[in-house]
Amino acid sequence: MAKTRAPLPQLGPLFDSHCHLTWPVKEDTTEERIARARDAGIARMISVAVDLNTAEDARQLAKQHADIFPTVGIHPTDVPHGEQLEQDLYALHELAGEQDWVAIGESGLDLFHQRSDLQDQKRSLEVHLELSAQHQLPIILHCRDAIDELLPVLRAAGSVQGVMHCYSEAAAPVEELLGLGLHISFAGNLTYPKSEQLRQAAQEVPMDRILVETDAPFLAPQARRGKRNEPAFVAFTAAFLAELKGLAGEELAAQTFANGCRLFGLPTEA
Ligand SMILES: [Zn+2]
């Protein structure tokens, strides 16, 4: 007998602040996932680049869909080395000056996957921070097992307009990140039974600085764990966060929607 699955919560318009819509998945097409997101009320999706090619893919996708918005950046685990790094950062510098982007990233530091050298990641992050300031675009930050390395880089920048995406730290760094000017975005891992620390962190984030995301196709929330993640599932994370914060789901949806529109400079009206 098929297991009964929790239905998608219907919370009104939702903002998925971080997904990778152009990431190829074998189960279905990007268009099918976008259609299901719209049915679930997802009215804004930030399609995040991990390198220069996916930035271009996201830009093309956004040209066809008024509710999808592209970013430009190089993911910390995709940062190349040596001459290739300098070439890519130069190309990023040129590309970031074009008009289409709503954010710079994702950038940041990752000591978990061990795919790129830490010094190269820091060099790339510094360039992303400069571009964010220069173009007055928010930066999307990724951090995995590297908060002690990340904080000094952010401190050196002074203030940072942007978002710590898929927040996966304890509560302790939240205050400093907020003080730097960052928003904090929560993904499906907030809903996992073992994520007690993360839930404590979420309690520390004020409602005007909080966002929700899927990070699709990765990290499906508990209600769809083991399945390929997609933007529609942000409704589960939003409903879970609402309960954690003692708010109605619709209220949490409206607040995170307004926060996303403000941070990324998007219209609140459809
Ligand atoms: Zn991502």
Side-chain angles (χ1 to χ4, degrees):
M1 214 170 80
K3 252 195 324 192
T4 351
R5 293 187 315 174
L8 265 173
Q10 295 290 332
L11 306 177
L14 277 162
F15 197 118
D16 184 353
S17 76
H18 193 114
C19 54
H20 302 281
L21 277 170
T22 62
W23 199 286
V25 302
K26 62 181 185 316
E27 288 84 352
D28 51 24
T29 66
T30 300
E31 294 302 323
E32 288 170 310
R33 274 172 278 136
I34 292 169
R36 285 198 296 273
R38 287 178 183 151
D39 286 347
I42 320 307
R44 303 278 184 279
M45 292 167 257
I46 306 293
S47 192
V48 177
V50 294
D51 58 23
L52 302 175
N53 291 327
T54 48
E56 197 53 59
D57 293 346
R59 170 153 72 174
Q60 292 311 320
L61 187 69
K63 283 189 175 148
Q64 297 151 31
H65 300 284
D67 45 4
I68 295 172
F69 303 89
T71 78
V72 62
I74 304 169
H75 193 285
T77 63
D78 291 306
V79 168
H81 183 69
E83 183 59 26
Q84 188 65 51
L85 173 59
E86 294 313 312
Q87 276 178 24
D88 283 9
L89 291 178
Y90 181 76
L92 171 68
H93 186 270
E94 295 292 293
L95 205 51
E98 295 172 17
Q99 293 304 304
D100 305 299
W101 318 109
V102 299
I104 301 291
E106 61 182 291
S107 183
L109 298 178
D110 189 313
L111 291 176
F112 177 78
H113 289 97
Q114 310 255 351
R115 279 174 51 196
S116 296
D117 178 78
L118 179 60
Q119 289 315 315
D120 291 337
Q121 292 187 39
K122 281 187 179 168
R123 160 106 181 96
S124 176
L125 171 58
E126 282 162 3
V127 169
H128 283 77
L129 285 165
E130 282 166 22
L131 290 170
S132 162
Q134 182 188 340
H135 297 294
Q136 300 199 337
L137 288 172
I139 189 167
I140 297 178
L141 293 171
H142 165 109
C143 179
R144 187 97 190 261
D145 288 358
I147 190 74
D148 293 337
E149 288 76 15
L150 180 67
L151 281 171
V153 180
L154 301 182
R155 271 176 214 137
S159 76
V160 188
Q161 165 89 337
V163 55
M164 270 288 279
H165 113 84
C166 189
Y167 192 78
S168 303
E169 305 294 329
V174 166
E175 194 182 338
E176 181 167 13
L177 292 167
L178 293 169
L180 285 161
L182 286 163
H183 289 60
I184 311 268
S185 181
F186 290 92
N189 53 345
L190 180 74
T191 68
Y192 296 170
K194 284 186 178 162
S195 298
E196 196 43 49
Q197 273 207 327
L198 202 46
R199 289 188 277 276
Q200 283 168 15
Q203 296 290 22
E204 301 295 315
V205 183
M207 280 310 299
D208 63 349
R209 294 284 198 95
I210 208 161
L211 298 171
V212 285
E213 65 174 274
T214 54
D215 205 11
F218 314 106
L219 219 61
Q222 187 68 19
R224 291 291 184 275
R225 211 162 171 185
K227 220 178 160 308
R228 188 67 86 175
N229 201 5
E230 58 182 69
F233 298 167
V234 80
F236 289 114
T237 303
F240 187 95
L241 184 60
E243 202 170 319
L244 194 66
K245 290 280 198 186
L247 296 172
E250 291 76 5
E251 202 180 334
L252 186 289
Q255 178 78 58
T256 51
F257 190 84
N259 293 346
C261 290
R262 195 185 60 241
L263 179 63
F264 294 102
L266 307 182
T268 50
E269 300 301 318

